[in-house]
Amino acid sequence: MDAYSAELLGGVGGQAMRRRTFAAGWTLALGGADQMPPRQRGKLLDQMTDCFGTNTELLVAVRARQNAPGMRKQNRLLDEARMRRLVAALSGVPGSVFRDCLMSALLGPAAEDLYDEAARRLLPVATRLATVFDPDRPVAAGALPMEDALRERPGIRRVGLYGRLCTAVTGVDPARLAAAVASMDDTLVAVLSEIPAPSLQFLAGRLEDPELLELLGPHLQGDDLDLLSRYTPQMWRMLLDGLRQPEHLGALGLGWVQIAVQDPAGTVDARVLLRIAADAEVPGPDAVRALLGTGPEHWATVCAHPLLAARWLAEQGDLDIAEIVAAFPDPADALAELGTEGLRHAHELGLDQRAMSILGGYAEGLRRPLDEVLVAFQERGYESEQAGPFATAAAVEWSRRQLGRGKALGWIVGNVVERPGKIRDWAVDGTGLGRRVTEAVLGAPGTAAPVLESLLATPALLPLLAGLGSPRQRAALLDLYAAEPEAVLDPRARRELPMILAAPDPGDALRTLLRE
């Protein structure tokens, strides 16, 4: 400890620092620490101690590799962040030729950062690679050896796939598995690197079969490769040995296998799917993905309504039509009347076809978007049974008039549902009924309410008013009726009304007449 303090620390620091940096200090001496300025040396010691902790074996291995000829420049460029990532990548790898080669690849010069790729592809199978890794064994075209493959991303994927295969099938010679990986192109390697372990285990015995590569070849440049990550061994087995309607696999894509496995009864016909895709003007694989996005229990419904399914796929982007079909007894008629957007709204709001048809006609009459009418209808908590009042022409015309007066659509909708009598009276009487009646009776504008109320309460006044020749007489009759209602309606007074109304005091004249 005293020698370490004198030679490496220059006598600086106490016992705690000596113990903490002892291993890092002696490995640092392997690279000529005496040539470093004391401050730089102390900083590097702290960094190494923090990164490696008590993993002295890894510390010595890394420092030995860093101090190799040609690596010292890279050592100076290795900052603390990269050092920590390096330790994280290597700490789970047993000491082996594989770790040495991986260490050289990660520490050496590279055109891109390989840490993330190595951590993702290699660390999960590091224990197996520690025993089966052969630096000279080719894993790619051109006899690219494993050691060199670790210096590029595609090569790391190949070594990772080789490790996964060796882990999945321990009974197969690793040399055969490496040869199988070497025969694949980069696209197939990338695909197989993503599939689950059970599927990879199933395929391991068939990787040398040219039929597999021939079958997958047409799909490797398409958009369906991500579906392979969802394949189960059963799906692979069906794809290779017994797919239903295999002649349509090219048009429908790899998703057709998933449908066939989940539909053992054969409910889904590939030809129906192709028809739906053609009518919707989308590629076949897109129709398959849309069907996979629905529950298998709904597939029969989708296939039973191909026209609705095609239009729904084209306009709504999915095949979730099962609940639409259940809600509308005649979905074809409802589609023709409401369109997909109207059907979607109806389903969301819980409205039946009759209600949607009525509200659609109402919105058209108002020249307003159906969405606005539906929102106003929903915000007030109305249900299908309350849509009836909107079917009348009176409701449409009254609503248009209220919109013109600046009333809110929600207020209008509420009045149509809750005050149908108001609209009915408006339709029968029109606007300004009291004013028009008053002008007709009095011959000039006046207070409308008393005149209209009197006539509505006592229709028998109408023939009496009609028998009077002048507006002045009719106004006098109404005043007399307000004072003597029973006497005015007495049959004995009818013939004498003009004379009574001409008297200075019509009330006194009427009473005198009736007494005599």
Side-chain angles (χ1 to χ4, degrees):
M1 188 68 73
D2 293 337
Y4 166 67
S5 176
E7 295 181 26
L8 274 300
L9 299 180
V12 178
Q15 284 294 110
M17 179 179 180
R18 295 177 190 179
R19 286 194 296 270
R20 193 170 67 89
T21 63
F22 184 79
W26 283 118
T27 59
L28 193 62
L30 299 175
D34 56 333
Q35 300 176 3
M36 292 184 182
R39 185 173 182 179
Q40 181 180 353
R41 183 168 60 240
K43 181 179 180 181
L44 185 56
L45 278 174
D46 287 338
Q47 173 185 325
M48 293 171 59
T49 302
D50 290 341
C51 288
F52 289 91
T54 59
N55 195 341
T56 305
E57 188 274 335
L58 180 60
L59 170 63
V60 173
V62 171
R63 286 302 301 165
R65 181 65 59 181
Q66 286 180 316
N67 291 330
M71 295 290 290
R72 293 185 180 180
K73 181 179 180 181
Q74 289 300 121
N75 177 33
R76 291 194 298 269
L77 298 176
L78 191 65
D79 58 17
E80 182 177 2
R82 292 184 61 197
M83 179 70 78
R84 289 185 182 278
R85 296 173 67 196
L86 175 68
V87 173
L90 297 177
S91 59
V93 182
S96 58
V97 175
F98 167 62
R99 190 180 74 172
D100 294 340
C101 293
L102 178 59
M103 192 185 310
S104 295
L106 296 180
L107 287 173
E112 55 182 336
D113 188 349
L114 301 176
Y115 287 99
D116 292 339
E117 190 72 20
R120 180 185 178 192
R121 305 292 182 184
L122 302 178
L123 293 189
V125 291
T127 302
R128 184 61 174 154
L129 284 174
T131 60
V132 301
F133 182 85
D134 186 341
D136 300 321
R137 182 174 292 161
V139 288
L144 178 70
M146 290 188 186
E147 182 176 12
D148 293 342
L150 293 177
R151 302 181 185 279
E152 59 184 25
R153 287 182 181 274
I156 290 176
R157 280 196 292 269
R158 287 179 176 273
V159 176
L161 177 59
Y162 167 71
R164 292 190 69 203
L165 290 171
C166 291
T167 303
V169 283
T170 56
V172 179
D173 184 7
R176 287 182 56 191
L177 296 176
V181 173
S183 66
M184 304 175 190
D185 62 17
D186 288 342
T187 304
L188 181 57
V189 170
V191 170
L192 296 180
S193 296
E194 301 294 340
I195 67 175
S199 295
L200 187 63
Q201 188 175 18
F202 170 79
L203 290 175
R206 307 189 65 162
L207 291 178
E208 297 173 315
D209 186 352
E211 180 183 354
L212 174 63
L213 302 181
E214 181 181 351
L215 184 62
L216 292 179
H219 304 282
L220 293 180
Q221 305 303 321
D223 298 328
D224 275 357
L225 293 182
D226 62 302
L227 295 178
L228 291 179
S229 64
R230 310 175 196 172
Y231 268 34
T232 64
Q234 182 184 6
M235 293 176 184
W236 283 107
R237 187 176 294 110
M238 179 174 286
L239 173 64
L240 298 174
D241 299 327
L243 179 63
R244 186 174 81 233
Q245 296 178 292
E247 67 275 12
H248 299 298
L249 178 64
L252 293 176
L254 296 172
W256 172 240
V257 180
Q258 292 180 271
I259 291 177
V261 169
Q262 298 179 65
D263 180 36
T267 302
V268 181
D269 191 323
R271 293 167 296 182
V272 174
L273 268 183
L274 289 173
R275 176 188 171 190
I276 291 174
D279 291 346
E281 299 182 351
V282 301
D286 288 359
V288 171
R289 284 178 179 268
L291 188 63
L292 288 171
T294 65
E297 67 275 11
H298 300 316
W299 290 354
T301 301
V302 173
C303 294
H305 299 84
L307 295 180
L308 172 61
R311 187 164 168 189
W312 197 271
L313 178 59
E315 298 179 8
Q316 300 296 326
D318 57 53
L319 288 173
D320 294 328
I321 64 170
E323 294 183 357
I324 299 296
V325 173
F328 294 89
D330 188 351
D333 180 63
L335 177 66
E337 181 178 6
L338 304 175
T340 60
E341 196 68 18
L343 286 174
R344 183 177 65 81
H345 282 307
H347 172 61
E348 291 174 352
L349 302 178
L351 300 178
D352 58 25
Q353 185 171 346
R354 172 182 170 275
M356 283 298 298
S357 177
I358 291 174
L359 293 174
Y362 177 75
E364 184 178 355
L366 297 186
R367 298 183 178 87
R368 302 293 287 266
L370 177 59
D371 287 356
E372 293 186 13
V373 174
L374 292 176
V375 168
F377 189 82
Q378 182 194 31
E379 285 180 347
R380 290 183 167 265
Y382 298 145
E383 299 181 356
S384 297
E385 295 77 10
Q386 295 170 286
F390 294 91
T392 65
V396 174
E397 291 301 322
W398 181 84
S399 300
R400 291 178 61 182
R401 183 178 182 84
Q402 300 307 316
L403 285 173
R405 297 173 60 188
K407 297 293 186 180
L409 183 59
W411 179 87
I412 295 172
V413 167
N415 275 269
V416 172
V417 174
E418 298 173 16
R419 302 181 67 185
K422 176 180 180 180
I423 297 175
R424 183 171 57 251
D425 292 344
W426 173 86
V428 173
D429 299 336
T431 58
L433 177 63
R435 174 183 53 79
R436 290 187 284 112
V437 169
T438 300
E439 291 182 356
V441 172
L442 302 181
T447 303
V451 175
L452 183 59
E453 290 174 1
S454 298
L455 294 178
L456 290 175
T458 313
L461 282 174
L462 289 171
L464 300 181
L465 291 169
L468 299 175
S470 69
R472 185 186 63 79
Q473 288 179 314
R474 289 192 286 271
L477 177 61
L478 291 173
D479 291 339
L480 181 59
Y481 174 77
E484 302 285 347
E486 294 182 3
V488 168
L489 297 178
D490 193 307
R492 294 174 294 170
R494 176 171 298 184
R495 293 180 182 180
E496 307 298 334
L497 278 178
M499 181 188 68
I500 294 172
L501 296 174
D505 185 350
D508 183 63
L510 176 61
R511 289 189 292 272
T512 301
L513 174 67
L514 293 179
R515 282 197 306 271
E516 293 177 354

